[in-house]
Each structure stands twice: as structure tokens, then as C-alpha cells.
């Protein structure tokens, strides 16, 4: 009976209150917890025990692990990028998510979110002023695709649970994925993980409260790609060795949803560069390569990546 729901807030510091604005999220597991560390005085008092204790600053956060659903993936794409643009295509809609280049609020790097977690008994837990620090997409052979959202929240409260309404449709599977490098189809990769990182940190202020005031960036935003590749030749190694760049394009196609449109998720990284391509012979077995790569900001496209989602939702 456990439930997880998420809604975008209209402003920082004001939790989402309209229950119909919440997206119900089919999820695998979550680690959202409230943290209240103890503070201990470091004064010496002619004894072996620590000094007086006081409650520390309150914060909340953790990971939400889920299968990649054609509807809810857009919620977390918006949460990480901080921006969404929707266009109607016949009876369906195309949503484009591009990482924003502006700060949403003096205290919040990105548009904030409220998450409701009902653990199956008593009251629900509500986490407010949420920021998506990291988003991970994993596609592996013979498995459902998986997504993990790492969230940071300023405040927490409890209240009566709301009623979930889950989206129709099914999650993406590995055989619905296609991959291209430099515009050519690539079938050598056996799994791939994309990690989108906003490099956010908490900041406390002398504002008379017991919670962090700000959640802002403290480093560059990054996009990283890791995976396992078969090794039939040195073509990709040569690209690594030369320091060359190539376009990355991952597309997942699900059900047909009307007027010839298909539930589609497309992730583009216009400029990808390998940072590690270790070719090693580990024994008499098949040779594979566990590679690492990074996205480079593309000045022509004016972005490091974008995500495009086609489904029946009007907007996010």
C-alpha cells in the first residue's frame, strides 16, 4: 500500500497543496529520510563523557529508484533540467527538456518540488522545496530500463495521505532501445548508464530557522556516460586515443499511442568524448571494455544534452 507522489511547486518556500497536481510514481524503492544530527559541545568538563547535546540542522533527501515509465520520466527530466517545453503533435505531445542556464530563485537552483511518501501506515511524509541533484538512466540487456532520482529537500512535514492515480501504460524495456554514435547505429554496447549531475549543496544561514536556507550549485553541471562494450575491433579505441568527439543518441520507443505517434524517449548528447577506454585481456574469455565518457557543452546547439519525450500528457 506504499505510495510515492511528486508535484512541482509554484514558488520556493511554498509546498504544493493541490492534490490533483501530484504525479503518482510507480517505483521500486526509495531512501528518502529526514536527518536531524546531534550537536555535541566540545568543551572539556573534567569528565570522560561528551559535553551537552542539541538537535542539529534538519534536512531530508535520498534516492527514488524506478522503472522508466513514458509518463513519469518527464517529471524527473523536468526536475533535473529545470525547464520543459511542450508542443502538440496531432493527439499527442512532444516535451523537450533542456538544462536551464539561469537560477530559479536566490535560494533554489531549480524549480522546487514537493514529494509525498506514504509508507503504508498512519500519516504520509511530505518533503518540501525539493531539488533533483542527480538523475541516472540505466539500460541493460534483458532488463527493464531503470532510472534513479537523487533528491535534496529543505523541509519535512506529516499529514494525511492523498489518493494516488497511477498512469496507464508500461515501462520501457531493453529491446525498445536503439543507440547511435556519430550518426551511425551502434550495437556493440551491452549496457549504458547516463548520469546527469547538478552539483548541488545545502547552505545554512543565520535566519533563525533549523533548516537549510539554500540549495545551490557549488560546481559545474556534468553529464557522464559509462557502460560495457564488446571489442571486435579498435575503432572506438582509436576515437578515444585521438581525443575525438562524437554525437550520442539514445532512443527508446514504446507503445503506439495515436495518429502514428509512439511513446518515445530520446536522449541526445551532441558532443561526447571518451575519458577511459581500457582494453584488457583478463584471460581466455571474450574481451569487453568498461568505458567512461563525458558530455561536452556544444556551442552550436547551446547545450550539453537534451531529452525529448512523446506521450499523451499535455504538459509538465
Amino acid at each position: 500500500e506504499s505510495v510515492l507522489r511528486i508535484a512541482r511547486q509554484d514558488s520556493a518556500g511554498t509546498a504544493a497543496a493541490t492534490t490533483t497536481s501530484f504525479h503518482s510514481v510507480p517505483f521500486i524503492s526509495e531512501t528518502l529520510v529526514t536527518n536531524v544530527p546531534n550537536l555535541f559541545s566540545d568543551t572539556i568538563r573534567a569528565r570522560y563523557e561528551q559535553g551537552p547535546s542539541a538537535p542539529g540542522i534538519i534536512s531530508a533527501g535520498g534516492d527514488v529508484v524506478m522503472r522508466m515509465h513514458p509518463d513519469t520520466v518527464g517529471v524527473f527530466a523536468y526536475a533535473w533540467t529545470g525547464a520543459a517545453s511542450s508542443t502538440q503533435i496531432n493527439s499527442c505531445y512532444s516535451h523537450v527538456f533542456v538544462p536551464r542556464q539561469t537560477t530559479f530563485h536566490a535560494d533554489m537552483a531549480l524549480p522546487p518540488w514537493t514529494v509525498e511518501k506514504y509508507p503504508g501506515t498512519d500519516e504520509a511524509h511530505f518533503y518540501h522545496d525539493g531539488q533533483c541533484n542527480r538523475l541516472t538512466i540505466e539500460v541493460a540487456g534483458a532488463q527493464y530500463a531503470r532510472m534513479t532520482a537523487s533528491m535534496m529537500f529543505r523541509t519535512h512535514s506529516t499529514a494525511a495521505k492523498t489518493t494516488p492515480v497511477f498512469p496507464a501504460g508500461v515501462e520501457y524495456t531493453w529491446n525498445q532501445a536503439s543507440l547511435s554514435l556519430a550518426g551511425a547505429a551502434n550495437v556493440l554496447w551491452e549496457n549504458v548508464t547516463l548520469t546527469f549531475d547538478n552539483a548541488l549543496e545545502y547552505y545554512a544561514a543565520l535566519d533563525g530557522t533549523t533548516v537549510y536556507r539554500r540549495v545551490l550549485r557549488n560546481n559545474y553541471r556534468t553529464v557522464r556516460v559509462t557502460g560495457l562494450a564488446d571489442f571486435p575491433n579498435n575503432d572506438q579505441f582509436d576515437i578515444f586515443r585521438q581525443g575525438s568527439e562524437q554525437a550520442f543518441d539514445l532512443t527508446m520507443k514504446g507503445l503506439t499511442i495515436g495518429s502514428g505517434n509512439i511513446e518515445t524517449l530520446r536522449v541526445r548528447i551532441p558532443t561526447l568524448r571518451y575519458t577511459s577506454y581500457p582494453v584488457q585481456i583478463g584471460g581466455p574469455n571474450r574481451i569487453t571494455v568498461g568505458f567512461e565518457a563525458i558530455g561536452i557543452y556544444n556551442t552550436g546547439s547551446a547545450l550539453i544534452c537534451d531529452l525529448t519525450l512523446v506521450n499523451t500528457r499535455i504538459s509538465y
Side-chain angles (χ1 to χ4, degrees), residues 20-312:
T20 54
S21 68
F22 277 79
H23 302 262
S24 299
V25 180
F27 70 104
I28 300 171
S29 63
E30 55 82 25
T31 59
L32 302 181
V33 295
T34 302
N35 300 299
V36 188
N38 280 318
L39 295 180
F40 288 96
S41 173
D42 55 0
T43 52
I44 298 172
R45 295 171 177 255
R47 67 189 187 205
Y48 291 120
E49 290 76 22
Q50 291 174 304
S53 174
I57 196 165
I58 301 169
S59 65
D63 294 344
V64 178
V65 182
M66 66 207 96
R67 297 303 178 191
M68 289 177 57
H69 190 283
D71 182 279
T72 56
V73 67
V75 178
F76 293 96
Y78 193 163
W80 186 80
T81 60
S85 175
S86 301
T87 305
Q88 186 170 3
I89 307 175
N90 299 321
S91 59
C92 303
Y93 297 85
S94 173
H95 315 280
V96 180
F97 307 90
V98 177
R100 64 185 295 148
Q101 294 292 338
T102 57
T103 299
F104 174 79
H105 184 272
D107 296 334
M108 298 273 107
L110 300 160
W113 299 74
T114 294
V115 169
E116 174 193 359
K117 179 181 75 174
Y118 178 61
T121 183
D122 201 11
E123 295 178 309
H125 293 253
F126 286 82
Y127 303 93
H128 314 297
D129 283 345
Q131 302 280 279
C132 184
N133 184 38
R134 189 177 299 109
L135 188 67
T136 303
I137 292 175
E138 302 172 74
V139 183
Q143 298 181 31
Y144 276 103
R146 189 166 76 164
M147 182 168 64
T148 301
S150 298
M151 305 293 296
M152 302 169 66
F153 302 93
R154 288 186 59 248
T155 61
H156 165 268
S157 65
T158 58
K161 75 179 184 71
T162 59
T163 302
V165 178
F166 288 98
V170 296
E171 292 90 356
Y172 290 115
T173 53
W174 89 101
N175 59 311
Q176 295 172 323
S178 60
L179 179 68
S180 74
L181 294 174
N186 173 53
V187 295
L188 297 180
W189 292 10
E190 298 178 8
N191 62 60
V192 63
T193 298
L194 287 73
T195 303
F196 308 90
D197 197 325
N198 270 317
L200 304 180
E201 285 193 16
Y202 288 114
Y203 295 94
L206 302 180
D207 58 359
T209 72
T210 58
V211 299
Y212 288 102
R213 182 171 187 86
R214 301 180 181 89
V215 186
L216 298 173
R217 302 185 194 279
N218 196 35
N219 210 328
Y220 293 114
R221 177 169 52 204
T222 59
V223 176
R224 299 188 178 277
V225 179
T226 60
L228 184 71
D230 191 26
F231 187 71
N233 53 55
N234 277 296
D235 290 353
Q236 289 297 308
F237 173 82
D238 291 340
I239 291 173
F240 159 70
R241 179 65 181 82
Q242 295 160 8
S244 300
E245 299 167 344
Q246 54 188 335
F248 169 95
D249 193 325
L250 173 67
T251 301
M252 307 198 71
K253 290 184 176 291
L255 302 176
T256 300
I257 49 178
S259 303
N261 293 300
I262 298 173
E263 286 180 330
T264 302
L265 170 65
R266 184 183 183 189
V267 183
R268 294 190 314 145
I269 303 173
T271 305
L272 186 78
R273 180 186 296 151
Y274 287 117
T275 57
S276 176
Y277 205 87
V279 179
Q280 303 173 83
I281 302 172
N285 49 308
R286 179 174 66 102
I287 296 177
T288 57
V289 179
F291 63 86
E292 298 177 0
I294 58 172
I296 306 294
Y297 182 83
N298 185 289
T299 55
S301 301
L303 50 80
I304 191 172
C305 69
D306 63 11
L307 298 87
T308 302
L309 189 64
V310 175
N311 57 25
T312 56

